[in-house]
Amino acid sequence: MGVAVCSLKWEAARTGSQRIVYDSDGYHLVRFPYEESEESYDPWGMHDPGKAYPDPESGLIVPSHDGWGTVSALVFWAPDSRPVEYRARFVRDPLGSSTGYDSTATTDSAPTGGNQFRTYMWQMFVRKDTPLGLKVTARALGDVPVPAALTLAEFKLAVQTDVHVPE
């Protein structure tokens, strides 16, 4: 079975802090630089550097093939006493440029002591040219988004390109 893979990484220690900007949905689209120094892997050109980091388009993976996609993410939040909840979601077309905003696999969790370390995974059909994004939010009491700092994020897509169908 053929697999096309894109793996993105951003780390504040290497690239600098990422300004948290909440969109109208109350979530921040995590951005990723285009440099190999961040340990990114993209032989299929799914993270096209058409716009410079931290432009919102730098938060997109655009599948190179139709197929069964496995998306995964890793998010590290800095210690912050304000949030009472952390959320993440995968979104098809998060910027509304093709098929329209379609969120899936929203996950929420309560904070633990110290830094907040989260991993996420979801499987779904993906379509060539329908961008995917990782969106996150930290929420204070009253469901108010707070700009808590991220320290590291990874976003990955593996597309199984030859899914068999019954004959």
Side-chain angles (χ1 to χ4, degrees), residues 22 26 77 83-87 136-140 144-148:
Y22 288 115
W77 297 87
V84 296
E85 179 182 32
Y86 292 90
R87 296 180 196 163
V136 298
T137 187
R139 301 292 187 150
V144 176
V146 294

Side-chain angles (χ1 to χ4, degrees), residues 133-156:
L134 167 65
K135 297 195 88 174
V136 298
T137 187
R139 301 292 187 150
L141 286 173
D143 201 29
V144 176
V146 294
L150 296 173
T151 59
L152 182 140
E154 295 188 25
F155 180 34
K156 302 167 186 312

Side-chain angles (χ1 to χ4, degrees), residues 25-70:
D25 64 355
Y27 285 78
H28 168 72
L29 178 63
V30 181
R31 274 73 159 176
F32 297 90
Y34 298 95
E35 296 84 26
E36 289 183 18
S37 64
E38 284 284 353
E39 299 179 28
S40 294
Y41 177 79
D42 186 26
W44 291 98
M46 292 190 259
H47 188 239
D48 182 16
K51 298 285 183 171
Y53 172 84
D55 184 276
E57 289 183 20
S58 70
L60 303 178
I61 292 178
V62 182
S64 58
H65 298 78
D66 290 343
W68 185 248
T70 300

Side-chain angles (χ1 to χ4, degrees), residues 90-167:
F90 296 109
V91 181
R92 292 180 189 94
D93 193 21
L95 300 177
S97 63
S98 66
T99 58
Y101 186 104
D102 180 20
S103 67
T104 186
T106 301
T107 303
D108 65 343
S109 60
T112 59
N115 294 10
Q116 307 303 311
F117 306 115
R118 305 288 190 273
T119 58
Y120 309 98
M121 197 271 306
W122 189 244
Q123 296 181 340
M124 61 187 175
F125 280 106
V126 297
R127 299 285 176 231
K128 180 180 180 179
D129 301 327
T130 298
L132 304 173
L134 167 65
K135 297 195 88 174
V136 298
T137 187
R139 301 292 187 150
L141 286 173
D143 201 29
V144 176
V146 294
L150 296 173
T151 59
L152 182 140
E154 295 188 25
F155 180 34
K156 302 167 186 312
L157 169 65
V159 183
Q160 296 176 21
T161 60
D162 59 351
V163 177
H164 292 272
V165 294
E167 295 181 22

